[in-house]
Amino acid sequence: MTYLPPHVSAWAIERVKRDPRLAAEISAAARRLKRDYPRMTPEERTLRADPITIGTAIFAAVGVAASTTAAAIVGAAVLIGASIAVNYAVAALTQKSKGSGSLGNSADQVGAASINSPAIKYNERQPIPSKRIIYGTAQVGGALFFEQVKAPFLFQGFLICAKQVTAFRKVWIGSQQISFSTLSPDAVLTPLGITGQPNYPERLAVSFRLGSRDQAADLLLQDDELVKLSGSNGTPIGTLTRGAGLAAAFDGVVYKPFASCAATTLSTTGYIGKDWGVGVSRKIAYFVFTMPTDARPVGTLEFYLEGSNDNFATVTTLAHVPPATYDGGESKAVQSGIDTSTAYRFHRLRIVASNAAAGPLGIVTLAQLVFYELVGAVLPYAEFRQRGIATAVLRYHYGIDYNEFTQLWGQVQRPSPYFLVDGVALPDPRQPGHILDWDPSDPDSVAEAEASWSWSNNAALVQTHYLTQRYGGRINPSRINWDKVARAADWDDGLVACKDGTFIKRHTIDGVVTLNQSPADVMGAMISANRGFVLESAGKMWPSSSVPRSAVAAIRDELLTGAIEYRAAKPKRDMANRVKVRFVAQEREYQTADGPVLDRADLRAADGELLDATLELPFTMDHRRAQRLQKAFLETARLGRQIVCTCDVALLAECADDLIGSAVTFDSVLFAQANGTYLCTEWGFADNFASIALTLIEYDASIETDYLAANDEQPFVLADLTVS
């Protein structure tokens, strides 16, 4: 990687990229300055610091003529230097919002009231809904893209995410979680039968698409419909004649104990099916089987759906279910994958136990078997592919009467589904194979890069992804400092201890952004999740996280070249001694919740009054992580010293790293009251190029590591804020 010294401005970067020799010349000049400056005499330093000399050297390297006047050079100096990207609400780290009494990302500071609010879970019915992007893991609804009643079914389709997601993990209808054996995409899925729940296996079907660029139309919206065949159709056939016999598997009683089920006689292989009758053939494209409620069989079972037209003298295998174990009462729905031209008179489900422990005395058993036939039926939207958009489609059966409807879907006009979704994949510079240099204007380049990425809720990686997106920061990936992103991501991925002895990741981002929100507001809310900054230096940008910073340079009296502006403490309006925290609580069904209150009686006594603040953490999930941030924000809010000064340009040569976003030590005899450690939030060349202007805020690296869960973690209970 070519090193570009920090005094090279952003406009010079493009010129340097076009001519690698210029980068080499700049790099060599920086090394010479760092090597020679300590040995120079005062006269030599003055000469090297001459504005025209330095200006000519710098600008000649990027193509400015040597005859350029000093005035022209000084006029361009506003482009030279580095700063924290203030357009991304960096003030969140240093003070609460004035007038709102809040720390971090308050509603009036960065629009947090609308960022990842609980309303994002609601299903939206709008002609032109706002597009949604899911980061990390979030419980969400979606934008309704169609709704159709075709008695006795209601069909609904929802747009879940405007980009490809990684996985669907859970489904709720209202407040009732619906259980599935798997939530695989591009398949019609039927819920598991759970004792004590309504008959969801017979009344609900769902299908998901992750949002690939080439995805097909949703299977539930095809030009054909799956219709359940009544158990009275056809004649039962098979070897599961023990117990209640063949008919028991087709009697419609889904949940029953082993004694009432169909079973084999002392055999670990058996089959059960239907003869549809002479001259009758059916297209069995889907089937559901259910285990006995008292946990039989207990072994590993394998299933084959077979079709035949000659009583199985010749057999076609239509579907295969790999070996698996099943719980009592568990249902599994299987799609055979046949097309509309495939039909057979005979269908059977062959069951093979892989060991002798498949049941009592090696018996294979089944509580219920339901066949679904593919029949012609035209639905609207059957060809809607929604390429690049993640979707969920649901088919609800209204039930046989009002009572069953309310048992299934609640006291509502129509069901309200919610989904737990792992969101978009992210670029990670620590992962081999991840493409980090793509062309945002080329869809093929974007698709190739995204295909190489993987899911993560790492705070720094989410921030970086958002910065590079056209709906976000619009920063070209070539301008990201990926090495520093990796450093921030390592810190955010670090495991921290909880009071119960478990460990969680230090900083994460989980939630949803919509494309009608200001990128500055969104980014400001995101940096609250790891107390970070968005930094810019030498034309490169990166999110920094709150990794403890060691001082990279020391500012001593001999380096000071001008007056000092010093603030000894923050105004009281910007301080706090009691902090409430608001975050997303998984324990509260992913609603925004108020967490424990951090009340510092010692600080209250010192301040002489209660100074209240609220910390908004719209992308933080888990009260333990929120409490760590809460304490760090409070302690940072107590740091109030600030320095604005000018220093000799030699300070750049002393720096062990980029000055911007780094800690420096202020060590002065003349201004001893200001001594301490500070964070550099901005620097740039002064008018004569012999000095650099710095803005420094007080910094304490120990804040990042002094949280001790055994002492600091409070139980997550609804806080009583009435006591003052």
Side-chain angles (χ1 to χ4, degrees), residues 91 181 207 388 441 487 527 573 603 605 719 723:
S181 60
S207 59
S441 64
R487 187 184 309 171
I527 63 175
R573 68 176 181 270
L603 297 180
V723 179

Side-chain angles (χ1 to χ4, degrees), residues 216-229:
D218 190 277
L219 290 172
L220 273 177
L221 301 182
Q222 298 299 313
D223 290 338
D224 301 284
E225 184 179 345
L226 291 171
V227 175
K228 177 187 174 183
L229 291 172

Side-chain angles (χ1 to χ4, degrees), residues 129-171:
S130 300
K131 292 184 177 180
R132 309 177 183 203
I133 306 295
I134 301 173
Y135 285 107
T137 298
Q139 187 190 50
V140 298
L144 193 72
F145 73 84
F146 91 99
E147 186 172 64
Q148 176 78 20
V149 175
K150 190 173 187 302
F153 298 111
L154 167 67
F155 291 84
Q156 288 183 323
F158 296 94
L159 307 176
I160 304 300
C161 182
K163 293 181 73 68
Q164 183 170 344
V165 300
T166 308
F168 285 82
R169 293 177 51 191
K170 294 181 181 178
V171 178

Side-chain angles (χ1 to χ4, degrees), residues 273-575:
K274 286 290 188 77
D275 172 4
W276 305 113
V278 178
V280 179
S281 61
R282 297 195 181 279
K283 300 180 283 289
I284 302 300
Y286 193 74
F287 65 95
V288 180
F289 61 86
T290 306
M291 297 291 107
T293 56
D294 48 355
R296 292 185 176 90
V298 296
T300 300
L301 299 180
E302 190 170 8
F303 294 84
Y304 298 86
L305 177 66
E306 299 174 338
S308 176
N309 285 316
D310 54 11
N311 201 16
F312 300 102
T314 57
V315 178
T316 301
T317 299
L318 303 174
H320 173 227
V321 182
T325 57
Y326 297 90
D327 295 328
E330 181 175 349
S331 294
K332 184 174 181 65
V334 182
Q335 185 177 3
S336 70
I338 67 171
D339 59 34
T340 56
S341 63
T342 307
Y344 295 97
R345 171 180 170 178
F346 301 91
H347 287 91
R348 71 183 183 187
L349 187 64
R350 183 161 55 91
I351 310 168
V352 180
S354 62
N355 56 60
L361 302 177
I363 295 173
V364 171
T365 182
L366 204 64
Q368 195 69 190
L369 176 61
V370 179
F371 288 117
Y372 288 81
E373 184 178 17
L374 197 67
V375 298
V378 177
L379 282 176
Y381 313 103
E383 293 303 319
F384 278 27
R385 297 177 181 270
Q386 288 94 13
R387 291 183 175 94
I389 300 174
T391 69
V393 174
L394 301 95
R395 186 189 68 199
Y396 316 90
H397 192 292
Y398 272 94
I400 60 175
D401 54 27
Y402 174 78
N403 288 335
E404 187 181 18
F405 179 92
T406 56
Q407 289 174 1
L408 289 163
W409 318 123
Q411 298 280 353
V412 294
Q413 289 185 334
R414 55 176 59 83
S416 297
Y418 304 109
F419 314 94
L420 190 66
V421 181
D422 286 345
V424 299
L426 307 176
D428 187 343
R430 304 167 300 170
Q431 297 296 326
H434 279 212
I435 296 175
L436 306 178
D437 187 11
W438 67 93
D439 182 356
S441 64
D442 181 357
D444 291 332
S445 176
V446 172
E448 181 184 6
E450 291 178 344
S452 72
W453 302 343
S454 56
W455 178 88
S456 175
N457 64 348
N458 179 284
L461 298 183
V462 171
Q463 293 161 357
T464 304
H465 182 273
Y466 189 78
L467 283 173
T468 60
Q469 297 305 297
R470 301 182 73 178
Y471 55 77
R474 300 188 180 185
I475 305 300
N476 193 292
S478 64
R479 289 191 58 209
I480 297 295
N481 188 325
W482 292 103
D483 290 340
K484 296 199 172 181
V485 171
R487 187 184 309 171
D490 282 342
W491 178 251
D492 288 348
D493 267 345
L495 297 179
V496 292
C498 301
K499 196 169 186 176
D500 61 5
T502 61
F503 291 83
I504 59 175
K505 279 201 238 180
R506 180 177 282 110
H507 297 136
T508 61
I509 287 178
D510 297 277
V512 182
V513 302
T514 59
L515 302 198
N516 63 342
Q517 295 167 335
S518 162
D521 290 351
V522 173
M523 197 66 208
M526 283 185 174
I527 63 175
S528 73
N530 63 357
R531 301 181 64 248
F533 293 107
V534 176
L535 303 176
E536 181 175 16
S537 180
K540 295 284 187 176
M541 296 186 70
W542 68 95
S544 69
S545 190
S546 56
V547 56
R549 294 155 166 84
S550 300
V552 299
I555 300 175
R556 298 174 297 276
D557 289 332
E558 60 267 27
L559 288 174
L560 297 174
T561 60
I564 291 181
E565 296 179 22
Y566 174 63
R567 186 185 71 181
K570 280 182 180 177
K572 186 170 285 188
R573 68 176 181 270
D574 291 333
M575 298 175 65

Side-chain angles (χ1 to χ4, degrees), residues 6 10 20 119 149 160 198 200 208 250 269 319 329 345 380 390 410 515 554 614 621 647 654 699 712 720 724:
V149 175
I160 304 300
Y200 289 115
F208 302 108
F250 300 100
T269 301
R345 171 180 170 178
L515 302 198
T614 298
M621 192 186 300
C647 294
E654 291 187 9
Y699 177 71
D712 296 324
D720 182 4
S724 60

Side-chain angles (χ1 to χ4, degrees), residues 687-705:
D687 288 348
N688 63 359
F689 281 95
S691 302
I692 56 174
L694 301 172
T695 300
L696 309 173
I697 60 173
E698 189 175 4
Y699 177 71
D700 182 356
S702 68
I703 289 176
E704 308 302 332
T705 56

